């Protein structure tokens, strides 16, 4: 295994005290600040999801009424999207790993990085404030569709302001990564020697930078309409509600790729390590990240097929939507080809990666069903859509996040997690996840509409199955978190490179020293996933 | 500790900065003033252009934007990649406007 060198002081030991964290400009500490905030918000939103499923265990009112249910699903969506999924991988793994992976000592703008974390916290506080002030949290859904969002008495202004501030945090993170990747790569590292996670972050950063301002201005327009009565979206004031949907989805569809692209980057790191093979189609995966980011700008109209948008526009958006499937499929085929004839080592991160491929595939294929104009007319606003996006967002991005948490656990916290407990947690999560969300696809096909606290009796059996699935899933998640917390104390000391990874972050001690490397890191020659470059084998 | 001082000097960094004489910048500024005067003249005197008056104004404005970006914002002396990225951004902005307008015009 790894070399036993005299360990230099790691970044935890370098400075101590609360202020050394919350005012730190070290990318690793900022990454961890993000992590603790993100995982806290995730647990809050998970609890809200649990309550929603509990409400739906039987028809009629069980644990909450209609308005509360509307507020709960809005808050669940806002927190999961803006406070968990969007920042999760770039702001935590990106911050922590990007400088290590490209062999530099920090991101390009460390102070801006700290500022973006503070903006994130501020946005989070605003989102939580909606719970306690005025008429309670918004009941509009996370999309804040006008004209309802202009008229409802609930705390839409505050929730929208929270999303606006969180958008700035996201823009600054994206800007930081673009400059870091252009300017701070190790001197000998060419573009095609960058790890694929860095490529995924790069593609994502451009979406964050170019698409997020659109949602910023749109949300301000909502506030202008609510507070000053400017007629932008409300027809009674001379506005157009479909304009809101255009502006909203111009950002929010590319935002879907902000959520899943970095996750795909994580999968591209884990699969070659556990297949002990060079990744298949390195350039194809790198370019497909850029292609997804680019094509993602042309397809937003597929969220609006039943909104009253014109017929020709709907046809064009439907056709363009199918183009996104191409680069996504390229990635999936390359991952599977990497596994082919590999010396596969089935560890928890690989299990999460395989689950990602399976679930993302289901999410992607159901996406084609609702991307097709004719079928979407029937399935729009049913549970099919809820099932679809949970398969992509949680089954995809979420599982990639948790898999990566195990993969880099040793690098980040310096201890190894307990493999057996982790695998039990994984299987509980996998079974729970599919028990929870697969019935939703069937319920949608049967015609059960989304966003209601109540349903017809004929939908009951599948809803009970789905709710039981949520209990299994939550048990798995809690077991995983307990395992990770306990392993922090009782786990074995992590070597530099526990998995035989080939990228540069494995060259430094676990956890890394303050300035990232204890010796000048060696840029692997040629393909970054060539196992000839494996430092454990050299040692 | 990693030595990153070298990595901080990639193409486009200060040692390669292009130095432009003041005269040149003043020339560009005068050119922009002339274009502004043209915009005013077209709007006042070119009433006979009717629909083309908008197009003419857009062409003049776009020319000014390109000149400002190239010389005042140094795009001309930067890495070609930056120009490409700028182009992609403008292209996407046009897509946002065009697709939304298409929906409105065909509704």
């Amino acid at each position: 295994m790894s070399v036993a060198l005299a360990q230099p002081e790691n970044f935890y030991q370098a400075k101590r005290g609360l202020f050394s964290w919350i005012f730190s400009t070290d990318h690793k500490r900022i990454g961890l600040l993000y992590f603790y905030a993100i995982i806290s918000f995730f647990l809050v939103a998970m609890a809200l999801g649990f309550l929603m499923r509990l409400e739906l265990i039987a028809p009629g009112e069980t644990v909450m009424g209609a308005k509360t249910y509307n507020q709960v699903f809005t808050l669940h969506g806002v927190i999961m999207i803006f406070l968990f999924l969007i920042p999760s991988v770039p702001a935590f793994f990106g911050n922590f790993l990007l400088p290590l992976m490209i062999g530099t000592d920090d991101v390009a703008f460390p102070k801006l990085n700290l500022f973006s974390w503070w903006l994130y916290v501020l946005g989070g506080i605003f989102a939580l404030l909606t719970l306690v002030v005025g008429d309670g949290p918004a009941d509009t859904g996370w999309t804040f569709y006008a004209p309802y969002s202009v008229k409802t008495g609930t705390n839409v202004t505050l929730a929208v302001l929270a999303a606006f501030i969180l958008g700035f945090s996201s823009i600054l993170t994206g800007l930081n990564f673009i400059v870091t990747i252009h300017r701070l790569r190790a001197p000998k590292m060419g573009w095609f020697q960058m790890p694929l996670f860095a490529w995924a972050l790069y593609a994502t950063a451009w979406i964050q930078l170019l698409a997020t301002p659109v949602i910023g201005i749109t949300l301000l327009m909502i506030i202008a309409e609510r507070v000053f009565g400017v007629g932008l979206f409300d027809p009674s004031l001379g506005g157009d509600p479909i304009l809101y949907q255009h502006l909203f989805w111009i950002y929010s569809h590319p935002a879907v790729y902000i959520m899943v692209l970095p996750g795909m980057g994580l999968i591209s790191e884990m699969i070659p390590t556990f297949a002990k093979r060079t990744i298949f189609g390195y350039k194809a995966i790198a370019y497909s990240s850029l292609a997804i980011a680019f094509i993602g700008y042309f397809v937003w109209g597929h969220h609006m097929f039943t909104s009253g948008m014109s017929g020709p526009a709907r046809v064009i958006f439907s056709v363009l939507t199918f183009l996104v499937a191409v680069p996504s499929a390229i990635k999936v085929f390359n991952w599977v080809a990497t596994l082919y004839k590999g010396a596969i080592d089935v560890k928890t991160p690989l299990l999460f990666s395989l689950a990602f491929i399976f679930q993302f595939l289901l999410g992607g294929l159901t996406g084609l069903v609702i991307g097709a104009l004719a079928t979407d007319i029937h399935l729009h606003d049913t549970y099919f859509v809820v099932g679809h996006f949970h398969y992509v967002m949680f089954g995809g991005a979420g599982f990639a996040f948790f898999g990566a948490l195990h993969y880099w656990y040793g690098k980040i916290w310096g201890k190894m997690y307990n493999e057996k407990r982790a695998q039990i947690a994984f299987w509980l999560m996998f079974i729970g996840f599919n028990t929870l969300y697969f019935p939703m696809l069937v319920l949608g096909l049967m015609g059960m509409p989304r966003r209601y606290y109540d349903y017809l009796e004929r939908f009951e059996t599948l809803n009970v199955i789905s709710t039981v699935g949520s209990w299994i899933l939550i048990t798995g998640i809690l077991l995983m978190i307990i395992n990770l917390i306990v392993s922090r104390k009782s786990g074995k000391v992590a070597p530099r490179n526990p998995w035989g990874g080939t990228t540069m972050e494995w060259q430094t001690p676990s956890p890394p020293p303050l300035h990232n490397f204890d010796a000048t890191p060696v840029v692997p020659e040629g393909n970054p996933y060539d196992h000839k470059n494996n430092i454990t084998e050299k040692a | 500790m990693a030595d990153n001082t070298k990595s901080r000097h990639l193409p486009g960094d200060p040692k390669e900065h292009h130095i432009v004489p003041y005269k040149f910048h003043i020339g560009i500024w005068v050119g922009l003033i002339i274009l502004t005067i043209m915009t005013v003249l077209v709007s006042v005197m070119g009433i006979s252009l009717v629909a083309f008056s908008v197009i003419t104004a857009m062409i003049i404005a776009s020319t000014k934007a390109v000149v400002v970006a190239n010389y005042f914002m140094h795009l001309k002396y930067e890495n070609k990649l930056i120009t490409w990225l700028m182009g992609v951004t403008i292209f996407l902005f046009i897509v946002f406007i065009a697709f939304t307008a298409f929906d409105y015009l065909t509704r």
Side-chain angles (χ1 to χ4, degrees):
Chain A
M1 286 304 284
S2 167
V3 271
L5 293 175
Q7 297 279 316
E9 199 178 44
N10 67 44
F11 76 96
Y12 292 100
Q13 297 159 337
K15 286 175 189 162
R16 290 189 187 277
L18 179 67
F19 286 176
S20 77
W21 280 89
I22 61 172
F23 296 118
S24 173
T25 51
D26 177 15
H27 68 100
K28 298 180 289 299
R29 287 190 178 217
I30 294 171
L32 281 167
L33 288 174
Y34 266 114
F35 171 72
Y36 292 119
I38 285 166
I39 206 76
S40 310
F41 282 116
F42 171 79
L43 291 173
V44 170
M46 183 186 83
L48 293 172
F50 167 78
L51 290 174
M52 275 150 64
R53 277 317 321 168
L54 207 56
E55 166 56 36
L56 293 173
I57 196 167
E61 187 174 324
T62 50
V63 293
M64 63 181 95
K67 189 185 173 193
T68 311
Y69 182 81
N70 291 353
Q71 292 175 316
V72 168
F73 77 64
T74 301
L75 203 58
H76 171 81
V78 169
I79 293 180
M80 281 296 193
I81 301 271
F82 293 111
L83 289 155
F84 174 65
L85 281 164
I86 289 181
S88 63
V89 179
F92 168 44
F93 287 115
N95 259 323
F96 197 98
L97 294 170
L98 179 66
L100 291 166
M101 281 184 159
I102 61 174
T104 183
D105 57 352
D106 209 321
V107 291
F109 307 119
K111 285 180 184 165
L112 200 64
N113 203 14
L114 178 65
F115 181 56
S116 70
W117 181 75
W118 276 102
L119 282 179
Y120 174 85
V121 171
L122 189 68
I125 291 171
F126 273 70
L128 292 180
L129 268 182
T130 64
L131 283 169
V132 286
V133 298
D135 212 5
D139 58 348
T140 56
W142 78 278
T143 53
F144 303 115
Y145 268 4
Y148 183 65
S149 60
V150 177
K151 290 178 170 168
T152 175
T154 51
N155 274 325
V156 167
T157 307
L158 206 54
V160 161
L161 199 62
F164 179 75
I165 295 168
L166 291 168
F168 269 94
S169 168
S170 178
I171 292 172
L172 296 181
T173 302
L175 179 71
N176 223 333
F177 287 177
I178 291 172
V179 181
T180 305
I181 289 171
H182 274 271
R183 295 276 169 180
L184 298 187
R185 294 194 315 276
K188 285 181 184 165
M189 182 180 269
W191 281 90
F192 292 105
Q193 284 164 298
M194 270 199 322
L196 287 164
F197 180 54
W199 270 103
L201 284 177
Y202 184 69
T204 308
W206 276 107
I207 311 177
Q208 289 175 298
L209 193 67
L210 296 186
T212 316
V214 182
I215 192 76
I217 195 72
T218 311
L219 295 175
L220 284 188
M221 285 160 93
I222 286 270
I223 294 177
E225 188 151 349
R226 277 180 72 89
V227 180
F228 305 112
V230 183
L232 297 165
F233 307 126
D234 184 354
S236 62
L237 297 171
D240 182 351
I242 302 181
L243 175 64
Y244 176 80
Q245 296 196 21
H246 273 293
L247 290 169
F248 180 82
W249 288 112
I250 284 174
Y251 162 72
S252 294
H253 192 76
V256 169
Y257 301 115
I258 297 179
M259 302 176 219
V260 80
L261 257 177
M264 292 169 155
L266 297 173
I267 301 297
S268 302
E269 295 297 323
M270 292 186 272
I271 285 186
T273 299
F274 293 99
K276 299 273 178 283
R277 272 200 60 192
T278 305
I279 193 133
F280 188 90
Y282 170 88
K283 280 194 177 176
I285 295 181
Y287 281 130
S288 67
S289 293
L290 296 181
I292 290 175
F294 186 70
I295 300 168
Y297 284 108
F298 302 88
V299 301
W300 76 84
H302 66 218
H303 295 270
M304 304 163 54
F305 286 158
T306 61
S307 69
M309 191 170 58
S310 84
R314 287 189 289 177
V315 172
I316 289 172
F317 277 122
S318 184
V319 171
L320 288 171
T321 298
F322 282 80
L323 290 180
V324 187
V326 177
S328 309
I330 286 175
K331 284 184 189 289
V332 171
F333 288 133
N334 281 309
W335 292 326
V336 175
T338 305
L339 291 166
Y340 180 64
K341 287 192 176 174
I344 294 173
D345 185 13
V346 185
K347 290 284 183 338
T348 311
L350 184 75
L351 287 172
F352 275 103
S353 306
L354 296 177
F356 174 99
I357 296 178
F358 172 71
Q359 285 155 184
F360 176 74
L361 212 62
L362 249 166
L365 291 173
T366 49
L368 292 182
V369 175
I370 43 183
L373 185 51
T375 40
D376 181 72
I377 301 292
H378 297 278
L379 293 170
H380 188 88
D381 263 342
T382 69
Y383 259 83
F384 191 84
V385 180
V386 183
H388 154 72
F389 69 70
H390 280 92
Y391 262 96
V392 180
M393 290 297 126
F394 191 4
F399 270 62
F401 178 83
F402 292 124
L405 204 54
H406 289 88
Y407 183 55
W408 282 288
Y409 185 83
K411 184 56 65 190
I412 295 168
W413 284 284
K415 295 283 181 73
M416 296 304 289
Y417 63 86
N418 181 304
E419 183 67 40
K420 194 176 170 190
R421 280 200 296 260
Q423 294 210 7
I424 295 170
F426 164 79
W427 284 110
L428 282 172
M429 284 171 72
F430 180 74
I431 294 165
F433 175 88
N434 285 287
T435 316
L436 168 55
Y437 295 111
F438 196 82
M440 289 189 182
L441 296 172
V442 183
L443 282 167
L445 288 168
M446 288 163 72
M448 178 172 160
R450 62 189 282 206
R451 298 196 184 99
Y452 289 92
Y453 79 115
D454 192 7
Y455 52 84
L456 300 175
E457 272 179 20
R458 63 195 173 97
F459 300 130
E460 189 170 359
T461 314
L462 283 169
N463 269 295
V464 171
I465 295 174
S466 180
T467 301
V468 171
S470 76
W471 300 339
I472 304 173
L473 177 62
I474 289 175
T475 311
I477 293 173
L478 294 179
L479 179 63
M480 175 187 76
I481 290 174
I482 290 166
N483 181 31
L484 294 180
I485 293 172
V486 171
S487 300
R488 179 90 169 85
K489 288 259 181 241
S490 63
K492 287 181 198 152
V493 174
R496 280 171 194 252
N497 190 0
W499 311 118
T502 55
T503 41
M504 285 169 80
E505 78 273 24
W506 302 113
Q507 295 181 17
T508 184
S510 310
L514 183 62
H515 295 288
N516 287 353
F517 295 95
D518 52 353
T520 306
V522 182
V523 179
E525 283 173 26
N527 187 319
Y529 299 97
D530 192 339
H531 276 265
K532 286 202 290 289
N533 295 324
N534 192 324
I535 61 151
T536 49
E537 282 160 21
K538 277 182 185 167
Chain B
M1 187 190 138
D3 176 20
N4 290 295
T5 46
K6 282 180 196 162
S7 63
R8 290 180 194 273
H9 289 281
L10 289 174
D13 271 9
K15 58 175 182 178
E16 294 179 20
H17 264 184
H18 192 87
I19 296 163
V20 184
Y22 278 120
K23 269 186 189 172
F24 186 76
H25 271 149
I26 291 169
I28 297 286
W29 178 65
V30 171
L32 289 168
I33 299 280
I34 292 169
L35 286 170
T36 308
I37 293 168
M38 274 174 68
T39 312
V40 177
L41 290 179
V42 167
S43 68
V44 177
M45 307 204 295
I47 299 166
S48 56
L49 288 171
V50 198
F52 291 103
S53 62
V54 176
I55 295 172
T56 316
M58 288 295 281
I59 290 171
I60 297 173
S62 306
T63 313
K64 284 165 71 181
V66 169
V67 171
V68 169
N70 266 326
Y71 296 100
F72 285 175
M73 299 174 84
H74 290 214
L75 205 58
K76 192 175 161 61
Y77 313 113
E78 282 290 343
N79 200 323
K80 274 279 170 284
L81 183 70
I82 310 282
T83 313
W84 264 96
L85 296 173
M86 177 89 189
V88 169
T89 309
I90 292 168
F91 172 71
L92 290 175
F93 179 70
I94 293 170
V95 166
F96 296 161
I97 303 285
F99 278 29
T100 309
F102 180 76
D103 164 35
Y104 277 76
L105 297 174
T106 55
R107 206 180 287 166

